Amino acid sequence: MSSGYGFGDLPESIEDEEALEELLSRPPQWLCDKLGSLEGDIAVLGVGGKVGPTLARMAKRAVPDKKVFGVARFSDQEVRDRLDSWGVETVACDLLDRAAVAELPKAANVIYMAGKKFGTDDDPSFAWAMNTHVPATVAEAFRESRIVAFSTLCVYPFAPVAEGGFSEEVEPGPTGDYATSCVGRERMFSYFSRKYDTPGRLARLNYAIDMRYGVLHDIAGWVRDGKPIPIGTGYASVIWQGDAVAQILGALAHTTVPTSPLNVGGPEHMSVVMAARAFGERFGKEPVFEGEVQPDGWYNNTLAAQRLFGYPSVPLAVMIDWVADWMLRDMPSHDKPTHYEERRGAF
């Protein structure tokens, strides 16, 4: 399936944040075709996070004739202003407020992105409210819509590295409050999907790559700063954020009743040691490693998504080059580590 542009069309360097935002939100032709074939507008609930603006902008660029609603509390006015400038119709709403959710525009197509991860251990009750109570509220309010809900690879138990990662048929086996509450999120959408015949998908996202954060950003920062790189989690499935959001938006055209999971990530598991050495070559520094690679971890495979959407448009080697170049030029960072190396489920 065509990505809409070939590897040869990708830039060698991403000039600045404006160029980055444009590239991240560039829709492939196959997505334009899939979203164009769907009836109704699109609502993105929880649009204010790191990935939300990219996804909402890509949706609007893919189907400019459709309304795209971006829903969040919008504690950061700059995020709302950017979305407005891109043609996304922003709606301020606290998704914990059931009455406010009931008043939201009832778009036929919903991407659900709200949730709580980091800081979960500080206040587990808030994480559970966001990750289980809000999904139940949304699933009832939008029972007549298609709903594609963000989930996480952390819902799986640890998989043996040598076996290529778990498929969607493997039952969840979460560790820690965050992952367990994310299974709760999935169960809420599943319950109401069965109750109301609501079509949906549960997008179990691996690690999306943006120049300003992500697993590659974490590893590159450790190498640059001469800090020990933990290698207990020796591999990670990374995918260009633009490819990830295209697949998640594309899942609106591949919903099921009842809703069902879909792993979203790279086609290969990237070696942390390999990536660190690649950054070391670019930075002129020898990586320092800490610990030993363990035989298992949070690993899943993305064969089902590859059958639907083909290979990602940005290969791993290009992502490594882009991140190295970005950091060598001391470009902006979100300063938000992924904690991909965490093995106890404590976030």
Side-chain angles (χ1 to χ4, degrees):
M1 182 175 292
S2 171
S3 66
Y5 50 93
F7 295 161
D9 298 328
L10 298 174
E12 292 185 7
S13 175
I14 300 175
E15 181 178 358
D16 52 26
E17 287 192 282
E18 183 178 351
L20 174 61
E21 294 285 0
E22 190 285 324
L23 185 61
L24 281 170
S25 62
R26 186 184 300 175
Q29 185 58 50
W30 62 258
L31 179 64
C32 301
D33 296 339
K34 286 181 183 290
L35 294 186
S37 69
L38 296 176
E39 293 184 2
D41 297 323
I42 300 170
V44 183
L45 308 187
V47 75
K50 296 190 301 293
V51 182
T54 295
L55 185 144
R57 186 182 184 188
M58 182 181 288
K60 186 62 179 177
R61 293 177 70 181
V63 281
D65 293 338
K66 292 184 185 292
K67 291 182 179 180
V68 176
F69 301 100
V71 179
R73 286 177 296 174
F74 292 115
S75 54
D76 185 343
Q77 183 63 37
E78 191 271 336
V79 172
R80 187 171 193 176
D81 291 343
R82 277 194 295 140
L83 288 164
D84 287 334
S85 73
W86 294 333
V88 176
E89 300 187 23
T90 55
V91 181
C93 177
D94 181 354
L95 295 175
L96 284 165
D97 184 337
R98 184 186 296 271
V101 171
E103 295 300 316
L104 288 173
K106 294 303 183 291
N109 305 285
V110 173
I111 302 291
Y112 179 85
M113 306 183 71
K116 175 67 174 176
K117 180 177 183 180
F118 299 118
T120 294
D121 286 5
D122 297 332
D123 183 5
S125 65
F126 180 69
W128 278 87
M130 286 300 301
N131 293 341
T132 61
H133 172 70
V134 173
T137 300
V138 167
E140 278 210 297
F142 288 88
R143 56 185 174 271
E144 301 298 326
S145 304
R146 301 178 190 86
I147 303 176
V148 172
F150 269 63
S151 188
T152 169
L153 84 163
C154 296
V155 300
Y156 289 106
F158 277 10
V161 178
E163 296 182 13
F166 287 144
S167 69
E168 292 85 349
E169 285 71 33
V170 173
E171 282 296 310
T175 300
D177 268 293
Y178 167 65
T180 306
S181 66
C182 288
V183 174
R185 176 198 296 150
E186 290 194 2
R187 299 305 195 208
M188 290 299 97
F189 280 115
S190 295
Y191 170 77
F192 289 104
S193 175
R194 293 176 185 277
K195 181 176 181 179
Y196 296 118
D197 290 330
T198 303
R201 289 308 280 262
L202 305 167
R204 292 173 174 170
L205 181 62
N206 284 258
Y207 297 107
I209 299 301
D210 179 329
M211 299 302 97
R212 298 159 296 191
Y213 73 92
V215 171
L216 293 178
H217 190 281
D218 293 346
I219 297 169
W222 288 326
V223 174
R224 179 197 59 192
D225 298 339
K227 294 182 178 179
I229 302 164
I231 58 172
T233 298
Y235 298 85
S237 170
V238 298
I239 183 171
W240 173 241
Q241 184 172 296
D243 285 318
V245 299
Q247 291 189 11
I248 291 167
L249 282 166
L252 286 167
H254 297 281
T255 54
T256 62
V257 179
T259 191
S260 59
L262 182 69
N263 296 337
V264 176
E268 70 276 290
H269 286 112
M270 176 203 69
S271 162
V272 172
V273 171
M274 178 200 72
R277 288 176 175 159
F279 287 123
E281 291 174 3
R282 295 293 298 269
F283 299 157
K285 294 191 175 184
E286 187 67 29
V288 179
F289 299 109
E290 180 179 72
E292 296 182 359
V293 176
Q294 299 302 302
D296 58 9
W298 277 310
Y299 304 119
N300 59 34
N301 72 61
T302 61
L303 296 178
Q306 291 173 42
R307 293 185 183 102
L308 294 177
F309 309 118
Y311 257 48
S313 66
V314 181
L316 174 60
V318 173
M319 288 188 279
I320 289 174
D321 289 344
W322 283 348
V323 170
D325 173 74
W326 188 268
M327 298 190 79
L328 280 168
R329 291 185 290 125
D330 198 26
M331 297 296 284
S333 166
H334 288 327
D335 294 319
K336 293 182 178 180
T338 62
H339 297 290
Y340 78 90
E341 73 279 9
E342 171 60 43
R343 296 179 62 83
R344 298 176 295 108
F347 296 102

